Each structure stands twice: as structure tokens, then as C-alpha cells.
Amino acid sequence: MSDQNGPDLRTNIGGIELKNPVMTASGTFGYADEFKKLIDLNRLGAIIVKGLSLKPTKGNPPPRIVETACGMLNAIGLENVGLETFVNEKLPFLKTLSTPIFVNIYGKSIEEYEELALSLNTTEGIAGIEVNISCPNVKAGGIAFGVDPESAYKVVKAIRQKITRPLMVKLSPNVTDITEIAARVEAAGADSLSLINTLTGMVIDIETRRSKLANITGGLSGPAIKPIALRMVWQVVQKVKIPVIGVGGIMTAEDALEFLIAGAAAIQVGTANFINPHTTIDILEGIKKYLIEKKITCLTDIIGTFSQ
Ligand SMILES: Cc1cc2nc3c(=O)[nH]c(=O)nc-3n(C[C@H](O)[C@H](O)[C@H](O)COP(=O)(O)O)c2cc1C
């Protein structure tokens, strides 16, 4: 099905309009070139690349991934190539795409976040920044920002003062009240919120009585977390005015539609990319099919239509 025909799938995610609501979730889509032979990358609404830090990061020792019921735990530890290599070696390919590119960033201090954001604000080929304030796998840094409303406010405010490009902030679900964090991040000047990042979990090998992950705990993702993500998105859209992007366990168009109906302006596909690299395109086509069947001409007419 061609994207030119059928319903209008455009959606605004805060400072930028996407041609459709299907984005890739950070850390599950590499730097996109890994997927270029598998799908038409120009059909995606937006691409979010692997979490980037100022300097290259090795991440945690293996084992770093373990399968769980309806999901997986990862403790990659935010391994990445670092800013310089990203700009010199990964960005040239990304620039050839018509799809907007968001760079997911993290740092161990406010200064690191600021430096990274400032540099990416003027780098050609980048549409916006997604700030990871969750980082459940990283012992130092990140974790403190995403779980405390005032730390979250401070880091986002500092970044906002440095950048003019669209600023999406990715929230941690490992908190008591996600709406409180969401409200502070909005007050700090975020253009949009994405949620959720992974939920901290663990798995024990009963033979060795040790964790199946070298890091002991890891981040849970996949279908197991979808109802939690959906509940959090629904709660947050009632609290803030900025667009919310839904992420967590989305495997099918039906899953994506649940998030859109709950009020998400767009969605991100994560773990599903590992199972079927074509998932994003299947979801895009499924959303279109649903809108055509329901005789809905604009995607925006379905967003937030949930009724109690
Ligand atoms: C292997 C792996 C690596 C991830 N790396 C990042 C990352 O670098 N930055 C980030 O903000 N989120 C990262 N995430 C979280 C995902 O982007 C997403 O928020 C989460 O997995 C929930 O969505 P899902 O259930 O569709 O996978 C990672 C997830 C996985 C499974």
C-alpha cells in the first residue's frame, strides 16, 4: 500500500510534524543502516538512534540479555560509539534519508548532557534530540535524573537553554508517580515526552543461584510491559499539554492503535524489531487499514478518543 494514498497519517510531536506516527525506539534499531536492506527506511515517521554519550562507552560485561516470559531483560549498559564517531561514521548514512532523525542522548552529569545537546543542536542532519533520563542499567548518572522530579526538571531545563531543536524527553517507569515527573519535565521546557523506558527486573539461574545477567538487574521490555506503558501514557496525557509518544511492548498495529486511542501522538517500536525487522512497516500498514475500514480520514481524529 503506498503512503501517498489513503488517510492522512501526519502527526505533530512538538516542534516537528511527522509523515506518520511510527518511530523506532532507541537501542533497538542501531544506527538504522543495519535495517536498510530489510525495510524502506524512508517510510518511517522518525528514526531514533542508539543512546549516545560524549565519549565511547563499552557497556556492561556479558551476559547482557536474557529472555523472559513475554519479554526480555537487557543490561547492555548503553554501549555506544561516542559523539565523534557517530558524527563522522554513522551520521553520513542517516543524512541520506528523508526520515527525521532523533538522537537519543545520556550523560553522567548535567554538564555532559548540556555539552552533547549543544553539539547536536548545530550538527546538520539531526531533526531533534530525545533525552534518556532513565538509564536503569547504568550505575552512575542517569538513574538519579529520571526518578526524582527536581533532578529531572534541572537536567531538562539545562538542556532546553542550550538547544532550539525539538526536545523529546524519555521518562522512566521506575517511579511511584510518573505524572509528577512528566509535569516537571514539561515545566522545564520539553517539547514532547516519550514513555516508557524499560522496567528494572531480574532473573535467577537456580542451578548457579546467580543472576542470569552479569549486571544482576536489567531492563524489562517487550509485550510483558505493554499494559503498564499504556496505563502510564493514558495517565500522562491527562496531566500535560505537550505531545506524548507511546513506547513499550508494541508488536502490532492493534497495539499501536491502543496507544493512539489513549492519547499518544505517535508510537515507538522497540523489542519487536529484534523478532521481526519488518514490524514498523507492518504496523504502519495496519494503522492505515484500520483507518480506512473505520472511514477515518485523518490519524489525528483517532488520537485521544478513549472514552471511559
Ligand atoms: C537492547 C535494548 C537497548 C536499549 N537501549 C536504549 C537506549 O540506548 N536509550 C534509551 O533511551 N532506551 C533504550 N532502550 C529502551 C527502548 O527504547 C524502549 O523504551 C523499551 O525497550 C520499551 O519498548 P519495547 O517494549 O517496545 O522494547 C533499549 C531497549 C532494549 C531492549
Side-chain angles (χ1 to χ4, degrees), residues 25-28 49-52 65 72 74 76 78 104 106 130 132 170 196-198 219-223 225 247-251 268-272 274:
S26 178
T28 65
V49 293
K50 175 69 191 160
L52 188 71
I65 284 189
M72 63 183 260
N74 93 80
I76 305 293
L78 297 171
N104 177 287
Y106 75 95
E130 180 182 55
N132 179 3
K170 185 160 179 184
I196 59 175
N197 210 315
T198 55
L220 181 65
S221 64
I225 72 168
V247 49
I250 298 176
M251 312 297 283
Q268 295 178 8
V269 179
T271 301
F274 298 130

Side-chain angles (χ1 to χ4, degrees), residues 140-281:
I143 192 156
F145 296 110
V147 299
D148 172 58
E150 285 328 296
S151 306
Y153 176 86
K154 274 191 198 141
V155 69
V156 175
K157 181 99 184 157
I159 296 169
R160 177 77 285 172
Q161 282 165 351
K162 298 276 184 232
I163 71 161
T164 49
R165 284 183 172 164
L167 170 57
M168 184 189 305
V169 178
K170 185 160 179 184
L171 303 186
S172 169
N174 302 307
V175 295
T176 310
D177 181 2
I178 197 164
T179 67
E180 199 189 341
I181 311 268
R184 293 305 288 149
V185 168
E186 179 182 42
D191 293 309
S192 64
L193 302 172
S194 51
L195 56 134
I196 59 175
N197 210 315
T198 55
L199 285 139
T200 309
M202 66 189 284
V203 175
I204 293 175
D205 179 335
I206 59 166
E207 297 306 323
T208 61
R209 301 184 201 172
R210 298 167 74 102
S211 172
K212 286 195 178 176
L213 294 170
N215 188 58
I216 302 181
T217 62
L220 181 65
S221 64
I225 72 168
K226 197 195 85 182
I228 300 171
L230 187 63
R231 181 266 292 176
M232 288 184 165
V233 164
W234 174 66
Q235 288 179 324
V236 168
V237 295
Q238 294 170 84
K239 183 86 171 200
V240 301
K241 292 193 175 64
I242 52 177
V244 171
I245 293 112
V247 49
I250 298 176
M251 312 297 283
T252 63
E254 289 75 17
D255 295 335
L257 283 158
E258 282 189 64
F259 280 87
L260 296 167
I261 291 167
I267 56 99
Q268 295 178 8
V269 179
T271 301
N273 292 308
F274 298 130
I275 299 162
N276 173 6
H278 208 262
T279 305
T280 46
I281 303 299

